[in-house]
C-alpha cells in the first residue's frame, strides 16, 4: 500500500503507514515547525523491531525519511507561495534520533546506517561519535580513510571510508531491449589451451567479467603511481572468486549455529516464528522448519530443514 500512496502524492498517509509498520505507533499528522518537532512525536514499541528483517527495516526507514521530506515540502508550499529553501532541520533531527536508536540496537544493517548518515551532511566518523554499534565493532568497519581530527573537522559534507578500486575497459554487447531494463553483457576473453573455465567462452555479466579479469591477471591495476608500492606485492593471475553477495557466509552461519540458536530460544518465542505460514526461523530464512502436530492443541514441532538434511545425507 505504501508505494501506491507515494504514487498518489499522499506522503502523510505513506509516512503514517511506515511509522506503524516500523515502530508500532499511529501518527495521523506530522509537525515540521521546529527542529525537534518530529523527534517529540516519536514513540516506539520495542517489539516492532522484530516484524521486519534488518535489511527490509533499513530500507523502510530510508523510505520514511524520503516521504517525510516530500510531505514537509508540500506543507511549506501550502503555507507560502514564495519559493524559499526547504528547512530540513526537522527531518535531520528525526534522522539523527533514528540513527542513534537503530545503530545501538543493530536493528538495521550498517549499509542503511551509512545512508541515514548521508542525510546529516557530516563526516561519518563525526556522526557515529558516541554511538555504539556491534556490527561496526565486530567487523572492524572503517569510517574514514584519514585519522586526522583536524581534517575531519574541516570537512563540510558527508564523507566515509573509500576503498581502493581497480578500473578495466571492456566491450559491451548490444541489446535490443529497453535501455532502462536491460542487464549489461560483455565479451569474454579467449580461453587458454589449458583453461576449461566456461566463463572464458561466452558473454559475461559485470560480476563474471571482474572474476575473469582477476583470473587472467589483467587486474589488479599496476600502473597506479599512487599505489604502485602496494600493488607490486599483490600476486597476479589465477584468482578464484564467487559472486554471491555474502551467500556463502550466511549459509555457513546457518549450518554451524542454527542448532544453538534454536536450543537457546523457545520455539514459541514470537521473535522466531511470527506466522503459521513461516517455514523457517525469522531472519535466517532456511534451516529447521515448523510443522503442526497431530494433537488437538495444534502445537508446532521442529523438523530437520534443508541444510540439516543435506549435511546428514
Amino acid at each position: 500500500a505504501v508505494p501506491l500512496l507515494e504514487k498518489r502524492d499522499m506522503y502523510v498517509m505513506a509516512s503514517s503507514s511506515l511509522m506503524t509498520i516500523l515502530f508500532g505507533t499511529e501518527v495521523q499528522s506530522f509537525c515540521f515547525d521546529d527542529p525537534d518537532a518530529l523527534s517529540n512525536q516519536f514513540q516506539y514499541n520495542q517489539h516492532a523491531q522484530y516484524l521486519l528483517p534488518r535489511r527490509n527495516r533499513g530500507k523502510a526507514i530510508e523510505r520514511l525519511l524520503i516521504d517525510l521530506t516530500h510531505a514537509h515540502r508540500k506543507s511549506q508550499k501550502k503555507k507560502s507561495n514564495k519559493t524559499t529553501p526547504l528547512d530540513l532541520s526537522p527531518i535531520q533531527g528525526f534522522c539523527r534520533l533514528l540513527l542513534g536508536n537503530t545503530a545501538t540496537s543493530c536493528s538495521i544493517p550498517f549499509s542503511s546506517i551509512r545512508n541515514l548518515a548521508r542525510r546529516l551532511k557530516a563526516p561519518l566518523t563525526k556522526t557515529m561519535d558516541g554511538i555504539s554499534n556491534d556490527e561496526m565493532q565486530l567487523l572492524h568497519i572503517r569510517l574514514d580513510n584519514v585519522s586526522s581530527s583536524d581534517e575531519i573537522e574541516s570537512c563540510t559534507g558527508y564523507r566515509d571510508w573509500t576503498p581502493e578500486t581497480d578500473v578495466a575497459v571492456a566491450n559491451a554487447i548490444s541489446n535490443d531491449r529497453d535501455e532502462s531494463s536491460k542487464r549489461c553483457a560483455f565479451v569474454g576473453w579467449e580461453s587458454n589451451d589449458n583453461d576449461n573455465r566456461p566463463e572464458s567462452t561466452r558473454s559475461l555479466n559485470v560480476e563474471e567479467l571482474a572474476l575473469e579479469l582477476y583470473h587472467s591477471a589483467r587486474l589488479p591495476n599496476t600502473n597506479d603511481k599512487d599505489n604502485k608500492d602496494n600493488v607490486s606485492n599483490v600476486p597476479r593471475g589465477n584468482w578464484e572468486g564467487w559472486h554471491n553477495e555474502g551467500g556463502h557466509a550466511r549459509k555457513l552461519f546457518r549450518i554451524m549455529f542454527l542448532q544453538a540458536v534454536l536450543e537457546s530460544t523457545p520455539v514459541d518465542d514470537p521473535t522466531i516464528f511470527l506466522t503459521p505460514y513461516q517455514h523457517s526461523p525469522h531472519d535466517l530464512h532456511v534451516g529447521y522448519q515448523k510443522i503442526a502436530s497431530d494433537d488437538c492443541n495444534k502445537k508446532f514441532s521442529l523438523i530437520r530443514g534443508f541444510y540439516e538434511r543435506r549435511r546428514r545425507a
Side-chain angles (χ1 to χ4, degrees), residues 30-132:
F30 299 92
C31 179
F32 305 99
D33 294 337
D34 59 81
D36 297 327
L38 284 176
S39 301
N40 294 334
Q41 289 183 273
F42 179 71
Q43 294 180 351
Y44 182 64
N45 185 335
Q46 62 177 352
H47 299 292
Q49 63 179 332
Y50 301 114
L51 297 178
L52 291 175
R54 296 173 69 237
R55 183 178 180 182
N56 295 359
R57 184 175 178 80
K59 291 183 177 297
I61 290 179
E62 295 173 30
R63 193 72 246 172
L64 171 62
L65 293 173
I66 294 174
D67 290 342
L68 286 173
T69 303
H70 289 309
H72 182 22
R73 183 176 289 107
K74 289 187 65 176
S75 65
Q76 186 178 18
K77 287 182 179 180
K78 291 180 180 179
K79 293 180 181 179
S80 175
N81 295 327
K82 298 179 180 179
T83 305
T84 57
L86 185 65
D87 181 17
L88 293 176
S89 58
I91 307 297
Q92 290 181 336
F94 188 48
C95 178
R96 188 174 291 103
L97 175 64
L98 292 179
L99 189 148
N101 290 342
T102 55
T104 302
S105 62
C106 292
S107 58
I108 64 175
F110 197 82
S111 58
S112 295
I113 294 177
R114 280 197 180 98
N115 293 335
L116 296 182
R118 285 188 177 92
R119 294 183 168 273
L120 301 179
K121 299 180 180 179
L124 185 60
T125 301
K126 191 173 181 180
T127 301
M128 296 299 295
D129 185 25
I131 298 178
S132 176

Side-chain angles (χ1 to χ4, degrees), residues 237-302:
N238 297 321
W239 286 30
E240 298 292 340
W242 301 270
H243 171 232
N244 57 16
E245 299 185 2
H248 283 24
R250 290 194 298 270
K251 292 173 185 177
L252 183 61
F253 172 83
R254 292 162 187 158
I255 293 174
M256 296 179 62
F257 296 105
L258 186 58
Q259 180 69 34
V261 170
L262 293 179
E263 286 180 351
S264 62
T265 307
V267 66
D268 294 330
D269 191 302
T271 65
I272 299 297
F273 293 103
L274 304 182
T275 72
Y277 307 102
Q278 187 177 332
H279 295 293
S280 62
H282 185 60
D283 215 15
L284 289 179
H285 309 300
V286 296
Y288 277 83
Q289 300 171 337
K290 185 177 68 169
I291 59 173
S293 59
D294 296 331
D295 58 357
C296 59
N297 294 327
K298 295 296 182 182
K299 294 181 179 179
F300 289 91
S301 58
L302 292 175

Side-chain angles (χ1 to χ4, degrees), residues 199-232:
E199 296 86 352
S200 303
T201 59
R202 59 179 175 83
S203 63
L204 312 176
N205 59 36
V206 63
E207 294 85 8
E208 293 170 338
L209 177 65
L211 293 175
E212 179 60 27
L213 291 174
Y214 281 103
H215 180 78
S216 60
R218 292 176 173 87
L219 287 179
N221 299 137
T222 56
N223 56 354
D224 188 353
K225 297 180 179 180
D226 297 333
N227 197 33
K228 188 173 182 179
D229 294 337
N230 295 332
V231 175
S232 60

